[in-house]
Amino acid sequence: MAVNVSRFHERFTYQARAPVPALLEDLEVLSRLDARAEGQRRVLSRAGGTAAILGGALALLCRQVWAGAVDPTEGLGVISGAILITGGVGGAAFVVGIGLLVWRALLRKRDLDNRRYDLARVLLQRLQVDLAPKAPVRLKLDLRAPDEPDKHAGQGMVGEWSTEFFVDPWFSLETRLADGTFVRIRMVERFQKRKRTRTTVSFLRIQRKTKGKHKSCAVLDVSARVKPERYPGLEQLKTRATGAVRLPPRVQLSRVRLAADRLSLRARLSGEWVARAERAEALEKEDASRTATMMLLSLYQVLGYARRRAKRQAARGRLEPV
């Protein structure tokens, strides 16, 4: 598949249903677009900051020299003309620098959160070995910021903080594995923008100080849908399923659900999760791809137990005398 770049830069969302190789190619395109935006913003930051600082300083210096050395009653001499030209150049450089910084700010939406498309890439690569060669995968990514207006979920007080709540269901992956199991992996970011204002009175003066901060967490859901006749009694194994779950350090299991034809797990990660942790940071960072993989393996342990139990019950039924 081919990514429509102009359309992507309007919406910053990606949605496709295709085999894994095609999806990986699209994710590589998104990665290159992100890298280019990061490079542009880095160059604009350096150039704009340098031009604004040096140009502003030069213009201010020329103004001070003009005020102290030029007699307004005299005509415009060579020195005063040079001061005016130099000050004009400094002022122009300052304006250009501010323009470059504004341009950098306008490119902010194109500077994507690398973790989001990296997580999709890692999970696709891991699932590929369990898929038929051309099995389609449905992938949805919302690469916008978590505090977009359409993600606003309400506001209220958290302690002394006035808080805006945002819910960002940014990731969804659905596919059918080679054994017929339908798998769905979803991630939702819960984001909070907090603000508080404190008023103090000192020496007959009223001072107000406003402080703001952000807080977030990620909720990861992994579910599997199966044929009930292959796994009879699956809905009775919640205790077994809860005990079978294995998760990376610091990741919290928050929900286990079982029904006759499906089972699902939900885990909670901090807002500082990574797509794939390196060995050196494996105990410090919450690895989202490893968490999803371990959750899926835990589901398959429960399915395997249900399958073995059904076979044992069928064997005992055949051995009982009529």
Side-chain angles (χ1 to χ4, degrees):
M1 298 180 64
V3 177
N4 188 325
V5 177
S6 59
R7 185 176 181 182
F8 175 75
H9 280 157
E10 292 176 0
R11 302 183 179 183
F12 296 98
T13 58
Y14 173 83
Q15 179 175 340
R17 184 176 184 271
V20 170
L23 295 178
L24 290 176
E25 289 179 6
D26 286 356
L27 293 177
E28 183 60 30
V29 173
L30 298 183
S31 176
R32 290 198 297 267
L33 292 175
D34 182 33
R36 184 171 66 183
E38 289 177 357
Q40 289 174 336
R41 296 189 78 231
R42 186 163 50 248
V43 171
L44 290 172
S45 177
R46 293 175 181 173
T50 301
I53 293 173
L54 295 182
L58 183 60
L60 184 61
L61 178 62
C62 290
R63 183 179 182 279
Q64 296 296 328
V65 172
W66 175 274
V70 177
D71 188 352
T73 61
E74 297 181 357
L76 188 64
V78 176
I79 296 178
S80 57
I83 294 174
L84 281 177
I85 293 174
T86 305
V89 171
F94 176 78
V95 172
V96 170
I98 295 299
L100 293 177
L101 293 177
V102 171
W103 187 7
R104 176 185 181 274
L106 294 176
L107 291 177
R108 181 181 179 183
K109 287 188 175 182
R110 298 190 180 188
D111 190 357
L112 309 175
D113 186 345
N114 304 29
R115 302 178 303 171
R116 296 196 168 190
Y117 57 78
D118 279 343
L119 176 61
R121 179 161 44 197
V122 174
L123 290 179
L124 286 172
Q125 291 170 344
R126 292 181 180 176
L127 286 173
Q128 189 173 16
V129 298
D130 296 315
L131 296 174
K134 295 185 179 181
V137 178
R138 186 183 299 276
L139 178 64
K140 296 180 182 179
L141 296 175
D142 186 343
L143 300 175
R144 298 175 298 159
D147 58 347
E148 289 290 323
D150 62 316
K151 301 176 183 181
H152 192 268
Q155 58 187 24
M157 297 297 296
V158 178
E160 59 181 346
W161 296 87
S162 175
T163 306
E164 291 185 86
F165 301 95
F166 297 84
V167 178
D168 183 12
W170 67 270
F171 177 84
S172 175
L173 186 154
E174 300 176 355
T175 189
R176 190 174 298 278
L177 302 183
D179 64 356
T181 303
F182 183 82
V183 172
R184 174 182 293 166
I185 303 174
R186 295 186 297 177
M187 180 175 273
V188 177
E189 182 171 355
R190 300 187 181 276
F191 185 78
Q192 297 179 8
K193 293 172 69 174
R194 297 184 177 185
K195 182 176 65 175
R196 74 180 180 192
T197 301
R198 287 183 172 177
T199 303
T200 58
V201 180
S202 60
F203 300 104
L204 302 180
R205 292 179 57 190
I206 299 177
Q207 296 180 336
R208 290 184 175 86
K209 185 177 181 180
T210 300
K211 182 179 179 180
K213 67 177 182 178
H214 298 159
K215 185 177 181 180
S216 67
C217 70
V219 177
L220 182 63
D221 280 291
V222 178
S223 62
R225 191 171 71 236
V226 297
K227 295 181 179 180
E229 58 271 18
R230 294 187 62 186
Y231 306 96
L234 181 61
E235 68 277 7
Q236 304 170 5
L237 301 178
K238 183 174 181 179
T239 302
R240 181 86 183 188
T242 304
V245 176
R246 297 292 180 268
L247 295 175
R250 302 172 60 182
V251 177
Q252 301 175 358
L253 178 67
S254 58
R255 192 180 74 185
V256 178
R257 284 185 176 177
L258 278 80
D261 64 339
R262 67 192 63 203
L263 61 168
S264 66
L265 301 176
R266 172 174 291 180
R268 180 187 176 98
L269 298 85
S270 73
E272 302 300 320
W273 60 270
V274 296
R276 178 167 54 185
E278 302 296 335
R279 289 186 178 180
E281 58 183 12
L283 297 178
E284 300 176 1
K285 299 290 186 178
E286 296 178 15
D287 188 331
S289 63
R290 185 184 176 204
T291 301
T293 304
M294 294 179 70
M295 292 169 73
L296 187 57
L297 291 175
S298 298
L299 292 181
Y300 263 88
Q301 284 188 2
V302 178
L303 292 176
Y305 175 80
R307 186 72 170 163
R308 292 191 300 271
R309 190 184 69 161
K311 289 181 178 180
R312 287 196 300 268
Q313 291 175 347
R316 283 198 297 267
R318 288 194 298 268
L319 293 176
E320 290 179 357
V322 179

